[in-house]
Amino acid sequence: MDIIRCDPSHDAQWNRFVHECPRASFYHRAEWRAINEQCFNHRTAYLAAVDDGNVVGVFPLVQLKSLLFGNVACSMPFVNYGGPAGASDAVEQALLQEATRVADEWGVTYLEMRSQRHLGDAYPCSEHKVSMTIALDANPDTLWNAFKTGQRSEIRRAYKNGFTARFGPDLVNDFYAILSESWRELGTPIYRLDYLKRILSTFGEATRLCVVYDGEGKPAAGAFDGIHNGTVEGMWLGMRSEYRKQLVGYVLYWELIKHACEQGHRRFHLGRSSKDSGGEQFKKKWNADSIQLYWQYILRTRNDIPSLNPSNPKYRLAIQAWQKMPLPMTQVVGPFIARSIP
């Protein structure tokens, strides 16, 4: 077995393996290489294990280098997870050994691997994130009837506020407006609109965009999802604060779940959540199960697991300043910061 670094000529064989491997996900697809290279100017290394001419494992790596956050690598940045995906544990260990060499070559402080499986005790691990997953049914009424009475009442009450949902890639500008406001409220820098448009144009029918509008046609909430092998991957979601008391989130989630059922998908990953957070508790109302995620590290020049997240007290003042910034300015300045936050 050999470990090679892939270029676009390997994309078809790479994606064939990703489609067939139960350990791989939407985020392992080869197309993300060009997206990260061209939208963010990030360096990548797409490692593949090849045995007898066949790909038997993949491991996408992305380097993020900036004055603000230093020189780090991640698999995969900006999305829910990544890490090695192999036909066996032995294949994944071989990919991890090569990833260590890449980390040395790039001179990064650390490599973060957002894995759905534990990769071994050799790699320090944080278990602060979970994936909230709903098992779907071809008939959305099956899921509706399984909700608690109070949950169904909240959904009905939300619809009485005049909300309607639409699906389609043409809604991306409305979605971006919602996400910009939502992330400014959280103190989180936003990506460029072109990044979202690039994902839509690259993956086409393997994406799903939904926007909920109020009775006057104003965008109130929205979600951006990927689709892979019968699984809907919740990537980004936002809602305008003025609609929270009108329960717009209930309309959005039910429309997403119902649509996924009607399209014949089997699972809906509602995105990652921090353990014991309000987000996790809200998603449990939809009968979502918590699945542990393992963020593991190859540490090169530090001994402790990094804490590059909003809960870190060192970022509190920056977050508070960002929350007060005019929205148009966050859309101009935000992408220059967001590109360096994995």
Side-chain angles (χ1 to χ4, degrees):
M1 183 177 67
D2 298 314
I3 307 296
I4 65 170
R5 299 192 188 188
C6 294
D7 58 43
S9 68
H10 300 99
D11 283 1
Q13 194 176 8
W14 176 292
N15 278 343
R16 194 176 307 119
F17 173 78
V18 168
H19 178 72
E20 295 171 354
C21 178
R23 295 183 174 186
S25 72
F26 178 68
Y27 310 115
H28 286 91
R29 286 183 55 166
E31 293 91 339
W32 288 103
R33 178 179 57 241
I35 290 173
N36 279 302
E37 289 176 349
Q38 295 169 18
C39 290
F40 300 110
N41 198 30
H42 287 327
R43 188 180 185 181
T44 68
Y46 269 55
L47 308 179
V50 180
D51 189 21
D52 196 24
N54 297 312
V55 173
V56 294
V58 297
F59 194 175
L61 306 175
V62 180
Q63 181 185 21
L64 300 87
K65 197 172 184 179
S66 71
L67 293 175
L68 281 175
F69 302 107
N71 182 16
V72 303
C74 184
S75 180
M76 287 283 289
F78 318 127
V79 295
N80 291 322
Y81 33 80
S88 68
D89 291 347
V91 169
E92 292 186 350
Q93 290 303 313
L95 287 165
L96 284 162
Q97 291 176 15
E98 182 62 25
T100 301
R101 286 188 279 271
V102 173
D104 289 341
E105 175 187 314
W106 288 349
V108 297
T109 303
Y110 61 85
L111 165 60
E112 179 179 81
M113 302 170 287
R114 300 175 174 180
S115 178
Q116 295 175 280
R117 299 169 311 287
H118 197 281
L119 301 174
D121 294 335
Y123 306 100
C125 182
S126 172
E127 298 183 9
H128 67 295
K129 294 291 184 181
V130 292
S131 173
M132 305 299 295
T133 302
I134 297 175
L136 301 175
D137 189 274
N139 184 356
D141 288 344
T142 301
L143 275 73
W144 175 267
N145 293 330
F147 295 150
K148 293 181 179 179
T149 301
Q151 177 76 350
R152 293 196 297 268
S153 296
E154 292 287 71
I155 299 170
R156 292 191 189 99
R157 189 156 67 93
Y159 275 101
K160 290 178 180 178
N161 292 313
F163 294 118
T164 56
R166 290 171 54 194
F167 290 83
D170 57 308
L171 307 176
V172 65
N173 288 339
D174 285 347
F175 172 73
Y176 187 72
I178 296 165
L179 197 67
S180 296
E181 284 193 25
S182 181
W183 283 21
R184 193 267 303 268
E185 184 179 334
L186 294 171
T188 302
I190 191 74
Y191 309 120
R192 292 187 190 279
L193 173 60
D194 286 348
Y195 172 56
L196 302 184
K197 288 183 175 180
R198 178 65 181 272
I199 295 171
L200 290 169
S201 64
T202 298
F203 292 109
E205 292 185 358
T207 58
R208 182 181 71 165
L209 191 59
C210 174
V211 174
V212 175
Y213 296 87
D214 70 8
E216 297 180 353
K218 182 180 178 181
F224 191 122
D225 300 330
I227 301 168
H228 177 78
N229 283 358
T231 296
V232 178
E233 289 286 350
M235 291 195 288
W236 300 292
L237 181 149
M239 62 189 73
R240 287 188 158 121
S241 58
E242 63 198 89
Y243 296 103
R244 284 204 176 92
K245 290 184 178 179
Q246 299 178 44
L247 306 178
V248 67
Y250 285 85
V251 174
L252 177 61
Y253 270 81
W254 175 239
E255 290 287 344
L256 293 172
I257 293 167
K258 182 172 64 171
H259 182 269
C261 291
E262 293 169 346
Q263 295 297 307
H265 302 305
R266 300 185 301 274
R267 291 172 300 277
F268 186 4
H269 292 166
L270 301 180
R272 68 176 187 256
S273 298
S274 297
K275 272 187 177 179
D276 302 319
S277 66
E280 181 185 9
Q281 297 308 311
F282 179 77
K283 292 170 184 177
K284 283 184 176 180
K285 293 182 178 181
W286 304 91
N287 293 331
D289 294 322
S290 299
I291 299 175
Q292 182 65 57
L293 298 178
Y294 302 92
W295 288 24
Q296 296 188 252
Y297 297 85
I298 295 173
L299 302 175
R300 292 191 65 258
T301 61
R302 59 183 297 161
N303 297 318
D304 58 324
I305 291 177
S307 182
L308 186 56
N309 60 71
S311 62
N312 189 329
K314 68 183 290 188
Y315 301 121
R316 185 175 298 126
L317 290 178
I319 289 171
Q320 291 173 352
W322 196 265
Q323 291 169 329
K324 298 175 182 177
M325 189 178 294
L327 186 64
M329 188 177 295
T330 68
Q331 294 173 333
V332 173
V333 179
F336 293 99
I337 302 173
R339 68 178 297 277
S340 304
I341 305 174

